[in-house]
Amino acid sequence: MKKKLALLLAGVMTLSAFAGCGSDSGKSDGKDPEQVSSINEDGELEGDITFWHSFTQGGRLDTIQAAADKFMDEHPKVNIKIETFSWNDFYTKWTTGLASGNVPDMSTALVGHVVEMINSDALIPLNDLIDEIGRDKFSENALNEGTVDGNNYSIPLYSHAMVMWVRKDLLEQNNLEVPATWDELYEAAKTLTKDGVYGLSFPCGSNDFQATNFLNFYVRSGGGSLLNDDLTANLTSDLAIEGINYWLKVYNDCSPKDSVNYDVLDQATLYYQGKTAFDFNSGFQIGGVEQNSPDLLQYVDCYPIPTIDGSEQKGITTSNQPIVVWKNSKHPDICKEFIKTLYEEENYLDFLASQPVGMLPSVAGIEELDAYKSNETIQQFQHAEEVIASQIPGGTAIGFEHGPNLQAGLLVNQHVIEEMFQDIITNGTDVETAAKAAEEELNTLFEAAVQ
Amino acid sequence: MLPAIIVVCALFLYPICSSIFYSFTNKNLIRPTYRFVGFDNYATILTDKSFWNAFLNSLKWTVFSLIGQLLVGFTAALALNRVKHLKGAYKTLLIIPWAFPSIVIAFSWKWILNGVYGILPNLLVQMGFCNEPPQFLTEKTLAFIVLVLINVWFGAPMIMVNVLSALQTVPQDQYEAAEIDGAKKWQSFLYITVPHIKVVMGLLVVLRTVWIFNNFDIIYLITGGGPAGSTQTVPVYAYDMGWGTKLLGQSSAVTVLLFIFMMAVCIGYFAVIGHWEKEDK
């Protein structure tokens, strides 16, 4: 009996190896759903919609729920079911859900995901919604990130930009200026690497895209790109090789060796705890420091990411967090109506105030409102808010400097660049050899995805 | 009967069949269409040195983890079997690692071992064992050893509990008879204890082998398979292939190969256990 039971268990466990890879798929996912009228005989909105979002932190979660509750109060025949996932789970959820038709009516997304969704014919255009809210209120860059053939498939909810975070107290104690060039940053980081503090951690864990992010900072600041104009990978240009060598130098001289395995949370935690003097992140950095080391909050500030020659930086990596409506939705009208209410002044200000400075408005004019400016954190970090706001218009998501493209999302999500850095650091592989191999690997993957 | 058949079909046969099916296609996670490519995926994987590196890592990971878990679990069971008082309390304490979800365990160890603020590296410095906090997850060999030790810590309690249960079924009068006959402790162990528990141990080895070989979460959450693929096992390789590179066809082929290998291992194990059972009769 025991043997039979064990055999059964062993069989089940062995078979379970399949579970992660089984995936249902029709040959086409872009089926037209059975859309029904969302307006009943009494002229009221009626229907159930599901909203997936990734605002897992308390404040944002609550404000979105409050907006949904308010909408349901105003439209008693509407039911909005909110489901929350972390970004990683979200990606798994929608890619598998798309195949089986198990996707929501509306959702948040990452910019790279939106392109993949458009490529899978999974979204509906939101041009009418954007026009209704006011097309001129949104930045052109932000709208372009979800635009294909004149159709706007996403609408930006909030924006942020990557900037350089500094510890003012450490700079002052060491008579250092805020670095404006990469060389100055290296020298400052090297000087500050002492007494249990590291100047700047260089993260290249292979389950995140931090090294891609950092290399992109360097290459974009020099006017280059990690993608060529024909959307092939470019890791072997002089600028890219210079960037790789720069970050290796930082890793060797200014970074904890453990950072070879760091993901974004590991990286940010060091700064939150006062263990690094510099870091690159968005305004969410403030909330992290506030929670982990409130005493350090007064010493935290941000500046534009350095450039190679010290020229003015106008933004590198911007994130305009989009909302999309899925083609599978039976009630796109309800989704659009609900989305519209998220931009109503009261709802929008509440939402932004749940992560002040972390989430900046994607809609023009909000930043001028007293209710927005009077937020305590925004007042305290006025300089940081101004710096981030100044960087948003000039930046794009990684690879989107070439417009929306599938390769940009793959460049970020494949972790090939992280593995390249690990190979160089751990195995001592020659930089140019590793860069060429990574470039070829990326191009092979690009070809497989866009065939 | 029908519900059982439906559940089995839905939970096991369907994913298996779909994996086998997709392993012969060029299915990409984000591309709506696909076509049949014959054995191309298998050829690609079997000529990929990363796959063989992951396979070798999986073998080492399984063998070392299993040996460690058996040694620690078996020793703890023997020790606990001799405890007269508070046996339940000790057993509960020792089973604690099993009570936590692996994500909690992974993040806890990642926190403990962090080379900057981790408790363990800093404790070693304070105790004078080293001048700088050791970087447990940075060097390839050390990272692998550390993961194996975490897996031993995690899995040994399960072995302990099962072996302890088996030990408690050994008739005490056999030990008393052996003692009267002048048998030494090691002889009692070898000729009474071992024969009584070897089938249970064999079954545990089978289950743990499959379990450890297929383990994904601890490795992925702590090192992500790095640095430079040094801790990448076949399940992590398959995951990266499916969800990282989105090549679902190739990822499915990896899992089919994994399935074939594990079935072969299980058949071998059961042949040995069957032989033991025949001997006992």
Side-chain angles (χ1 to χ4, degrees), chain B residues 95-154:
Chain B
I95 203 83
I96 278 176
W98 259 79
F100 288 97
S102 40
I103 190 162
V104 174
I105 285 168
F107 280 116
S108 299
W109 277 108
K110 213 173 162 183
W111 191 265
I112 291 167
L113 297 171
N114 188 289
V116 179
Y117 50 79
I119 298 165
L120 189 60
N122 285 296
L123 191 67
L124 291 173
V125 173
Q126 282 171 17
M127 291 169 77
F129 288 111
C130 37
N131 295 324
E132 288 187 354
Q135 310 289 306
F136 286 109
L137 300 173
T138 303
E139 200 274 318
K140 290 199 292 187
T141 309
L142 186 58
F144 192 87
I145 291 170
V146 167
L147 282 182
V148 167
L149 291 175
I150 291 171
N151 199 26
V152 168
W153 169 86
F154 177 63

Side-chain angles (χ1 to χ4, degrees), chain A residues 7 13 15 18 21 23-25 27 91 95-96 116 206-207 257-258 261 266 273 414 422 426-427 448, chain B residues 14 19 22 27 30-32 110 115 117 135 137-138 140 207 214 220 224 228 243-246 251 259 270:
Chain A
L7 183 60
M13 287 195 298
L15 297 180
F18 283 93
C21 288
S23 169
D24 184 17
S25 177
K27 289 205 171 187
Y91 187 75
T95 46
T96 50
E116 294 178 19
S206 55
N207 47 9
K257 297 297 163 272
D258 239 17
N261 278 319
D266 298 321
Q273 296 190 345
Q414 313 279 342
Q422 287 193 348
T426 311
N427 297 330
Chain B
Y14 176 72
S19 283
Y22 284 124
K27 174 74 182 159
I30 56 169
R31 217 178 45 213
K110 213 173 162 183
Y117 50 79
Q135 310 289 306
L137 300 173
T138 303
K140 290 199 292 187
L207 295 176
N214 284 337
Y220 189 77
W243 298 103
T245 63
K246 302 174 177 64
S251 179
F259 170 71
F270 282 118

Side-chain angles (χ1 to χ4, degrees), chain A residues 215 218-219 225-226 234-245:
Chain A
L215 183 58
Y218 192 95
V219 172
S225 170
L226 295 177
N234 181 359
L235 301 179
T236 50
S237 65
D238 289 346
L239 193 55
I241 296 293
E242 197 180 299
I244 295 168
N245 280 316

Side-chain angles (χ1 to χ4, degrees), chain A residues 2-3 5-30 91-96 99 116 119-120 196 198 205-207 251 256-263 265-266 269-270 273 275 292 406 409-410 413-416 419 422-423 425-427 441 445 447-451, chain B residues 12 14-16 18-20 22 26-36 107 110-111 113-117 133 135-140 143 199-200 203 206-208 210-211 214 220-230 232 238-240 242-248 251-252 255-256 258-259 262-263 266 270 273-274 277:
Chain A
K2 276 181 194 163
K3 188 182 163 188
L5 183 64
L7 183 60
L8 180 68
L9 280 172
V12 167
M13 287 195 298
T14 308
L15 297 180
S16 68
F18 283 93
C21 288
S23 169
D24 184 17
S25 177
K27 289 205 171 187
S28 170
D29 307 300
Y91 187 75
T92 311
K93 189 88 178 158
W94 81 255
T95 46
T96 50
E116 294 178 19
N119 193 50
S120 302
Y198 293 89
S206 55
N207 47 9
Y251 176 80
K257 297 297 163 272
D258 239 17
S259 67
V260 73
N261 278 319
Y262 277 5
D263 59 22
L265 186 62
D266 298 321
T269 302
L270 285 190
Q273 296 190 345
K275 299 285 187 187
N292 285 266
L406 202 58
L410 299 171
N413 294 324
Q414 313 279 342
H415 309 147
V416 171
E419 283 165 9
Q422 287 193 348
D423 185 32
I425 291 168
T426 311
N427 297 330
E441 190 180 346
L445 296 168
E447 278 173 29
V450 298
Q451 271 173 3
Chain B
F12 299 112
Y14 176 72
I16 293 167
S18 77
S19 283
I20 293 171
Y22 284 124
N26 69 342
K27 174 74 182 159
N28 187 293
L29 198 60
I30 56 169
R31 217 178 45 213
T33 57
Y34 54 83
R35 62 184 167 79
F36 286 91
F107 280 116
K110 213 173 162 183
W111 191 265
L113 297 171
N114 188 289
V116 179
Y117 50 79
Q135 310 289 306
F136 286 109
L137 300 173
T138 303
E139 200 274 318
K140 290 199 292 187
V199 174
V200 171
L203 295 175
V206 177
L207 295 176
R208 292 304 299 166
V210 178
W211 210 317
N214 284 337
Y220 189 77
L221 290 169
I222 295 178
T223 64
S230 60
Q232 188 182 50
Y239 177 85
D240 284 344
W243 298 103
T245 63
K246 302 174 177 64
L247 301 172
L248 206 64
S251 179
S252 298
T255 57
V256 171
L258 186 62
F259 170 71
M262 291 313 297
M263 283 310 288
C266 287
F270 282 118
I273 293 170
E277 284 183 334

Side-chain angles (χ1 to χ4, degrees), chain B residues 6-75:
Chain B
I6 292 170
V7 168
V8 168
C9 287
L11 293 181
F12 299 112
L13 292 183
Y14 176 72
I16 293 167
C17 293
S18 77
S19 283
I20 293 171
F21 175 77
Y22 284 124
S23 73
F24 293 105
T25 71
N26 69 342
K27 174 74 182 159
N28 187 293
L29 198 60
I30 56 169
R31 217 178 45 213
T33 57
Y34 54 83
R35 62 184 167 79
F36 286 91
V37 294
F39 285 91
D40 283 4
N41 290 331
Y42 291 94
T44 305
I45 287 157
L46 292 172
T47 52
D48 180 5
K49 65 177 186 184
S50 295
F51 170 75
W52 291 107
N53 173 56
F55 185 71
L56 188 64
N57 282 340
S58 276
L59 289 180
K60 287 191 291 183
W61 163 254
T62 306
V63 170
F64 292 132
S65 296
L66 188 63
I67 291 172
Q69 289 182 8
L70 284 172
L71 281 176
V72 174
F74 192 78
T75 309

